[in-house]
Amino acid sequence: MITIPDVSQTSYTFLSLGDSYTIGESVAETDRWSVQLAGMLRKDDVAVVDPDIIAHTGWTTAELQDAIKASGNQKTYGLVSLLIGVNNQYRGQDQERYRTEFRELIQTATKFAGGKAEHVFVLSVPDWGASPFAAGRDKTKIAREIDQFNAVAKDECQRAGIAYVDITSLSRSATGDNTQFASDSLHYSGKQMKQWAEKALPIAKDLLKK
């Protein structure tokens, strides 16, 4: 028997900010990692609605910030997630620019959380070098640069008191398993994103208790 979660008395709202990994490029809406996470929270009796999403394939940190401003969204959320940076790496942007723009984004995310940094969490950038799309590319270089961008993000999160969830190792474990990639051979499938949601679940539950 399938039960539909009763969210009529929902206590928490959720905003998910990012790029193709957040909007779920080439997968169904229900497979998006943040939508899966909301479902997992409800199964654990944490009342939360499916997330509002501000994300688009190809966005860098600067483009996400511009889109947030253009959205005119003035809401406050009980939970806010941020996953951004792969396109900065892909386009060859430098890490100091990323640091500055990422810092601004976590400040923006904190504002969406009503000024509560303890209600914000960041996911690390997955390694697209693990994908079939990256065949013939310098995967060692891609991995090294992804690690460098993630080190910047982790450092900024620690400075701001924001939870950081490492999903990069999960993305790398998908190498060679086509079921973990979407039909475009670049983005990840719902199967892989379920693992991201599972990794974020205990952290999200903890944040919502604060």
Side-chain angles (χ1 to χ4, degrees):
M1 179 179 179
I2 298 174
T3 57
I4 305 300
D6 179 9
V7 293
S8 60
Q9 302 299 319
T10 294
S11 299
Y12 302 109
T13 50
F14 180 13
L15 175 65
S16 197
L17 306 170
D19 50 35
S20 58
Y21 293 134
T22 294
I23 200 63
E25 178 69 24
S26 299
V27 302
E29 290 183 15
T30 52
D31 280 338
R32 293 169 175 168
W33 77 263
S34 55
V35 174
Q36 293 195 65
L37 174 60
M40 291 175 186
L41 286 166
R42 290 193 294 268
K43 285 182 180 179
D44 283 354
D45 297 320
V46 180
V48 59
V49 293
D50 282 347
D52 287 348
I53 296 176
I54 302 178
H56 195 277
T57 299
W59 278 354
T60 61
T61 41
E63 289 163 340
L64 173 58
Q65 188 71 276
D66 287 346
I68 291 170
K69 292 175 182 176
S71 75
N73 189 338
Q74 300 295 318
K75 297 179 185 178
T76 300
Y77 295 83
L79 189 65
V80 181
S81 69
L82 176 64
L83 168 50
I84 193 74
V86 68
N87 296 297
N88 297 69
Q89 181 274 331
Y90 187 81
R91 298 189 199 176
Q93 295 182 1
D94 68 77
Q95 290 150 34
E96 283 312 304
R97 175 180 176 180
Y98 176 67
R99 181 181 292 277
T100 299
E101 294 173 355
F102 184 84
R103 183 183 300 151
E104 292 172 353
L105 279 169
I106 58 176
Q107 291 170 353
T108 298
T110 302
K111 288 179 182 178
F112 275 122
K116 299 177 180 178
E118 64 271 21
H119 283 202
V120 178
F121 67 101
V122 166
L123 270 64
S124 67
V125 176
D127 186 350
W128 65 274
S131 70
F133 177 86
R137 309 277 184 126
D138 188 341
K139 296 182 181 183
T140 301
K141 178 175 182 288
I142 294 168
R144 181 176 67 250
E145 291 178 353
I146 291 290
D147 286 344
Q148 290 168 346
F149 275 82
N150 280 330
V152 169
K154 185 175 183 179
D155 180 58
E156 289 300 321
C157 286
Q158 290 174 337
R159 292 170 185 267
I162 287 173
Y164 180 84
V165 184
D166 180 7
I167 62 168
T168 309
S169 57
L170 292 173
S171 72
R172 287 172 176 157
S173 72
T175 301
D177 181 359
N178 289 337
T179 68
Q180 297 199 53
F181 294 94
S183 57
D184 62 9
S185 297
L186 171 60
H187 295 95
Y188 291 91
S189 69
K191 180 178 178 180
Q192 168 67 198
M193 287 192 282
K194 180 182 179 182
Q195 296 181 54
W196 305 353
E198 289 171 340
K199 186 75 177 286
L201 179 60
I203 293 168
K205 288 174 67 175
D206 185 59
L207 294 182
L208 288 172
K209 293 176 183 177
K210 296 181 179 180

